[in-house]
């Protein structure tokens, strides 16, 4: 009796074979493709995108730009989307990569983190987080990032990825994590010197972390994040755990999402709800001494912060916001809002309240709008007893207030939302006065959204 050849996977219908492969890891599928010509054709020359789309959907979040209303639409090639992500693993685990390979890896990491933030803001979960955690835990990415000299190529790119990953640096028993934290702590005085340098808050950079051409100065953003996050680490008790979530997820609670708090259909920025805000500042006498005297090899030398007598205050504030029509704004003119040409994401105006630990409460109002780079710009003004005391600006827009109101506004702030619109990581920036005099005070802030039922344990620590 003549024996029959046993059936192989190639005797199955192509659709069934691809469905089986879709349950495999992409690297295993790549190995399978090298077994014979038929396998290569099945994987890399398919008649449709089913296999690559399923492989991507199993291991990564849907790319943000597909469902993001203000993102540029184009045909998606799922094979490219997946292989571009896997190239990061090649760069990190099979290096050393070339300069261009490293740039590609960091650009793609930023995209993956923003995809993750978008997915979390919509559903409360993200497939990218598990992959990111593996990358950060099993590679020397963080240690290498904090070892790169500031004079290296692509300083804005490196600063941006460090800003996105700063809150993932934790201290545990591994020598690698200890080394990474030591490198981050070694940047603290330099970051303070940059943030509290009054020369970095001027008209040319819109009084915030921006370039003269209007782009985001990610070096400035990174220094802001370093100052605030390292201050949070030193807070006593449970306050050290009260901080914005990292790109790897929250510590003890779920992210605020549409599932946990319904929002208005037109609230594309997720404005409505409860927020927390850290504000940091130096004693004004220290700020003046740092900027205008020769103390500690000054002026403006990082050595100034080595003095054991130096103190930096950190204040935690609660903010609650709700949307209002344009015409209800008291401290902002309508032309500022109509400058945004984004039809799908029009400027949103809001009002609300702000509360600090000392019992001071303020009424707040402001607006949020989208820039050409897809980054949300926020502006927030706080009014105490009818007088505007604080104005927060995310990607700052200089406000032309009526003459009758100019003397009422005392403080303004500028910053950038990290991780994309609705990113749980929140908003960081710089506050200063609206007069913008040479010796006006400055300081960093961090604003992020929380669940409405989050415990209120406001504080001020020096």
């Amino acid at each position: 009796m003549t024996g029959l050849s046993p059936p192989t996977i190639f005797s199955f219908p192509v659709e069934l074979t691809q469905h089986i492969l879709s349950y495999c890891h992409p690297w295993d599928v790549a190995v399978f493709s090298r077994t014979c010509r038929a396998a290569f054709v099945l994987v890399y020359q398919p008649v449709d995108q089913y296999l690559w789309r399923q492989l991507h959907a199993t291991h990564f979040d849907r790319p943000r730009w597909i469902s993001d209303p203000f993102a540029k639409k184009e045909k998606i090639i799922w094979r490219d989307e997946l292989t571009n992500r896997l190239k990061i693993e090649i760069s990190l685990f099979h290096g050393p990569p070339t300069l261009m390979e490293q740039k590609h890896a960091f650009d793609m990491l930023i995209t993956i983190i923003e995809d993750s933030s978008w997915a979390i803001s919509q559903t409360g979960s993200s497939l990218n987080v598990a992959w990111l955690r593996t990358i950060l835990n099993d590679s020397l990415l963080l240690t290498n990032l904090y070892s790169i000299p500031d004079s290296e190529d692509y300083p804005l790119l490196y600063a941006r990825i460090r800003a996105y990953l700063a809150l993932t640096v934790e201290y545990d028993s591994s020598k690698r994590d200890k080394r990474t934290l030591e490198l981050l702590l070694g940047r603290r005085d330099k970051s303070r010197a940059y943030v509290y340098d009054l020369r970095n808050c001027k008209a040319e950079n819109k009084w915030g972390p921006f370039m003269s051409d209007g782009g985001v100065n990610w070096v400035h953003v990174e220094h802001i994040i370093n100052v605030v996050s390292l201050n949070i680490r030193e807070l006593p008790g449970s306050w050290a755990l009260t901080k914005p979530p990292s790109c790897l997820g929250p510590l003890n609670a779920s992210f605020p999402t549409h599932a946990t708090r319904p929002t208005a259909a037109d609230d594309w920025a997720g404005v409505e709800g409860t927020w927390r805000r850290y504000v940091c500042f130096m004693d004004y006498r220290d700020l003046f001494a740092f900027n205008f005297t020769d103390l500690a090899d000054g002026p403006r030398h990082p050595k100034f912060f080595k003095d054991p007598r130096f103190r930096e205050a950190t204040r935690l504030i609660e903010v609650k916001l709700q949307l209002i029509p344009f015409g209800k704004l008291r401290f902002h003119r309508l032309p500022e809002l109509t400058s945004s040409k984004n039809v799908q994401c029009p400027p949103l105006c809001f009002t609300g309240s702000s509360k600090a630990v000392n019992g001071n409460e303020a009424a707040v109002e402001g607006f949020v709008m989208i820039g050409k780079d897809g980054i949300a710009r926020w502006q927030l003004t706080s009014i105490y007893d009818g007088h505007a005391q604080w104005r927060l600006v995310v990607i700052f827009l200089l406000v032309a207030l009526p003459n009758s109101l100019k003397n009422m506004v005392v403080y303004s702030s500028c910053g950038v939302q990290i991780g994309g619109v609705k990113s749980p990581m929140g908003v960081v920036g710089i506050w200063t006065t609206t007069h913008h005099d040479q010796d006006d005070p400055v300081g960093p802030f961090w604003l992020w959204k929380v669940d409405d039922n989050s415990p209120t344990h406001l504080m001020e620590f020096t």
Side-chain angles (χ1 to χ4, degrees):
M1 181 177 178
T2 304
L4 298 177
S5 300
T8 68
I9 192 171
F10 301 109
S11 64
F12 299 162
V14 171
E15 296 82 0
L16 177 59
T17 304
Q18 290 184 331
H19 184 69
I20 294 171
L21 289 174
S22 70
Y23 288 92
C24 300
H25 192 280
W27 288 119
D28 295 328
V29 175
V31 171
F32 167 77
S33 72
R34 294 196 291 269
T35 58
C36 64
R37 181 175 298 176
F40 181 88
V41 171
L42 181 68
V43 173
Y44 290 104
Q45 298 176 3
V47 296
D48 57 30
Q49 297 199 77
Y50 172 81
L51 175 59
W52 291 100
R53 183 175 65 250
Q54 292 301 109
L55 287 172
H56 189 286
T58 301
H59 298 278
F60 293 97
D61 297 319
R62 185 180 177 88
R64 177 174 61 95
W65 62 265
I66 295 178
S67 51
D68 195 338
F70 49 81
K72 182 180 178 180
K73 304 303 182 190
E74 55 189 48
K75 182 180 179 181
I76 186 168
I77 307 299
W78 289 105
R79 172 183 166 183
D80 292 347
E81 291 290 332
L82 182 60
T83 55
N84 283 337
R85 285 156 173 76
L86 296 180
K87 286 178 182 178
I88 298 176
E89 298 182 22
I90 296 176
S91 296
L92 296 179
F93 295 114
H94 303 282
T98 65
L99 184 61
M100 289 306 298
E101 289 172 340
Q102 191 174 63
K103 180 181 183 300
H104 171 272
F106 290 164
D107 281 332
M108 202 68 233
L109 270 173
I110 289 171
T111 297
I112 291 172
I113 292 171
E114 292 182 344
D115 288 348
S116 176
S117 293
W118 179 263
I120 289 170
S121 73
Q122 303 301 303
T123 67
S125 62
S126 167
L127 291 172
N128 289 358
V129 168
W131 182 87
L132 284 168
R133 186 172 286 111
T134 299
I135 290 294
L136 295 177
N137 290 341
D138 296 348
S139 75
L140 294 175
L141 171 62
L142 286 173
T143 302
N144 291 340
L145 272 174
Y146 286 105
S147 301
I148 296 174
D150 292 337
S151 59
E152 285 287 335
D153 295 312
Y154 310 117
L156 293 179
L157 174 62
Y158 293 143
R160 186 175 185 178
I161 191 64
R162 283 194 295 262
Y164 280 30
L165 297 176
L167 288 178
T168 68
V169 179
E170 297 292 345
Y171 180 87
D172 62 24
S173 58
S174 70
K175 292 182 179 179
R176 179 184 60 206
D177 290 335
K178 289 180 181 178
R179 176 57 179 162
T180 302
L181 183 57
E182 289 173 356
L183 290 169
L184 175 57
L185 289 170
R187 291 173 171 262
R188 186 178 194 178
D189 290 341
K190 184 175 182 179
S191 291
R192 280 172 164 166
Y194 196 106
V195 167
Y196 290 111
D197 186 339
L198 298 179
R199 297 173 301 175
N200 292 325
C201 190
K202 54 189 177 180
E204 288 79 0
N205 64 350
K206 301 295 190 294
W207 316 104
F210 313 107
M211 312 294 288
S212 58
D213 62 1
V216 177
N217 183 347
W218 289 104
V219 173
H220 200 166
V221 171
E222 180 197 358
H223 287 310
I224 293 169
I225 288 178
N226 289 347
V227 171
V228 180
S229 63
L230 291 175
N231 286 349
I232 294 173
R233 286 177 181 269
E234 295 181 344
L235 296 178
S238 62
W239 283 300
L241 300 179
T242 304
K243 61 183 178 180
S246 76
C247 63
L248 298 183
L251 294 174
N252 299 312
S254 61
F255 286 106
T257 66
H258 293 299
T260 60
R261 189 186 200 281
T263 58
D266 56 354
D267 187 5
W268 53 264
V271 171
E272 293 196 328
T274 304
W275 299 74
R276 293 286 183 270
R277 174 162 60 100
Y278 275 115
V279 177
C280 301
F281 50 93
M282 294 170 58
D283 184 288
Y284 186 74
R285 292 165 295 184
D286 287 340
L287 182 66
F288 184 88
F290 169 68
N291 278 276
F292 301 110
T293 73
D294 58 1
L295 290 175
D297 295 340
R300 298 177 292 272
H301 196 286
K303 188 184 296 185
F304 182 91
F305 303 101
K306 297 293 186 184
D307 190 328
R309 295 170 296 179
F310 171 76
R311 293 292 183 271
E312 186 178 7
T314 301
R315 179 179 296 172
L316 179 61
I317 300 171
E318 179 180 74
V319 180
K320 291 181 178 290
L321 302 175
Q322 61 185 34
L323 295 177
I324 58 173
F326 290 159
K328 296 293 185 180
L329 289 177
R330 298 171 55 199
F331 293 93
H332 304 92
R333 287 180 174 173
L334 190 59
E336 299 164 6
L337 307 182
T338 56
S339 62
S340 175
K341 304 300 183 182
N342 194 305
V343 178
Q344 293 176 310
C345 299
L348 300 176
C349 302
F350 57 82
T351 186
S353 62
S354 175
K355 182 173 64 175
V357 67
N358 56 12
N360 288 343
E361 294 192 20
V364 301
E365 72 165 39
F367 63 85
V368 55
M369 60 196 304
I370 287 291
K372 294 180 180 179
D373 52 9
I375 298 176
R377 283 105 162 117
W378 292 62
Q379 182 159 305
L380 174 66
T381 303
S382 298
I383 303 96
Y384 292 83
D385 298 325
H387 296 279
Q389 298 292 327
W390 298 81
R391 191 197 305 160
L392 293 177
V393 185
V394 182
I395 305 298
F396 181 76
L397 298 171
L398 185 60
V399 177
L401 291 174
N403 290 332
S404 61
L405 298 180
K406 284 184 178 179
N407 292 331
M408 299 173 65
V409 178
V410 177
Y411 293 105
S412 70
S413 304
C414 353
V416 56
Q417 182 149 14
I418 54 175
V421 170
K422 289 188 177 180
S423 168
M425 290 187 285
V427 173
V428 299
I430 292 291
W431 64 264
T432 184
T433 75
T434 57
H435 300 294
H436 304 304
D437 294 329
Q438 181 183 8
D439 57 349
D440 280 350
V442 300
F445 75 89
W446 198 327
L447 175 75
W448 78 100
K449 198 170 187 181
V450 298
D451 287 328
D452 287 342
N453 59 356
S454 296
T456 301
H457 53 294
L458 308 179
M459 54 76 65
E460 183 169 336
F461 179 75
T462 303

